[in-house]
Amino acid sequence: MHEKNLYEYAVIRVVPKVEREEFLNVGIVLFCKKAKFIKVLHSFNVEKALLFSAETDVEQIQMNLLAFEKVAHGTKDGGPIALMDVPSRFRWLTALRSSVIQTSRPHPGLCDDLENTTQRLFEEFVL
């Protein structure tokens, strides 16, 4: 019998005006320690974000989401955090912060296929 993967995921949110605490779900970060797996999927709906605040800095948010993805995937141009091990990168990405890019608290789950689960959660919470 195939052993299931224990994973954690968090929803990536854009908070256009931090003081208002309103957010738009824009992505998923999923992590599995045993499989040394981490994946980010994101889709930023500019029109929706501008409904929250006409002053939303769309270009900066897009750059921040790209940096978030680089850290998660450990790319060489992702900075010093991207060079850390997978669990440390996930913990850093999901740390509580008061900024325009935030995440939900991490949630656990079990699955057979990490890629498909990431896609399913992305479709459920973002699309």
Side-chain angles (χ1 to χ4, degrees):
M1 182 171 172
H2 181 69
E3 190 175 331
K4 290 194 179 278
N5 292 299
L6 174 64
Y7 67 88
E8 293 179 68
Y9 76 93
V11 179
I12 305 165
R13 300 169 170 164
V14 167
V15 186
K17 285 201 163 277
V18 176
E19 63 275 12
R20 288 177 52 175
E21 298 183 5
E22 299 170 329
F23 62 85
L24 175 64
N25 290 346
V26 298
I28 290 288
V29 55
L30 188 136
F31 154 71
C32 176
K33 182 177 180 178
K34 188 176 114 196
K36 296 181 180 169
F37 178 93
I38 189 168
K39 182 155 188 170
V40 167
L41 295 176
H42 61 84
S43 175
F44 179 51
N45 186 320
V46 173
E47 291 78 23
K48 274 189 184 178
L50 290 171
L51 290 174
F52 282 85
S53 172
E55 299 141 22
T56 300
D57 188 342
V58 171
E59 190 174 310
Q60 185 63 54
I61 290 171
Q62 290 170 327
M63 288 184 340
N64 291 353
L65 287 170
L66 181 59
F68 195 97
E69 187 175 358
K70 287 179 179 183
V71 167
H73 297 155
T75 62
K76 290 179 183 178
D77 61 343
I81 305 295
L83 303 177
M84 295 178 170
D85 66 356
V86 171
S88 297
R89 293 193 319 258
F90 181 75
R91 295 290 167 241
W92 186 86
L93 290 168
T94 59
L96 188 61
R97 57 180 54 94
S98 179
S99 65
V100 175
I101 305 290
Q102 299 180 13
T103 62
S104 68
R105 291 173 52 185
H107 305 283
L110 287 171
C111 73
D112 290 320
D113 186 322
L114 294 165
E115 290 283 347
N116 283 343
T117 299
T118 306
Q119 185 64 42
R120 180 183 57 77
L121 290 169
F122 179 68
E123 289 171 8
E124 181 178 336
F125 289 107
V126 180
L127 298 182

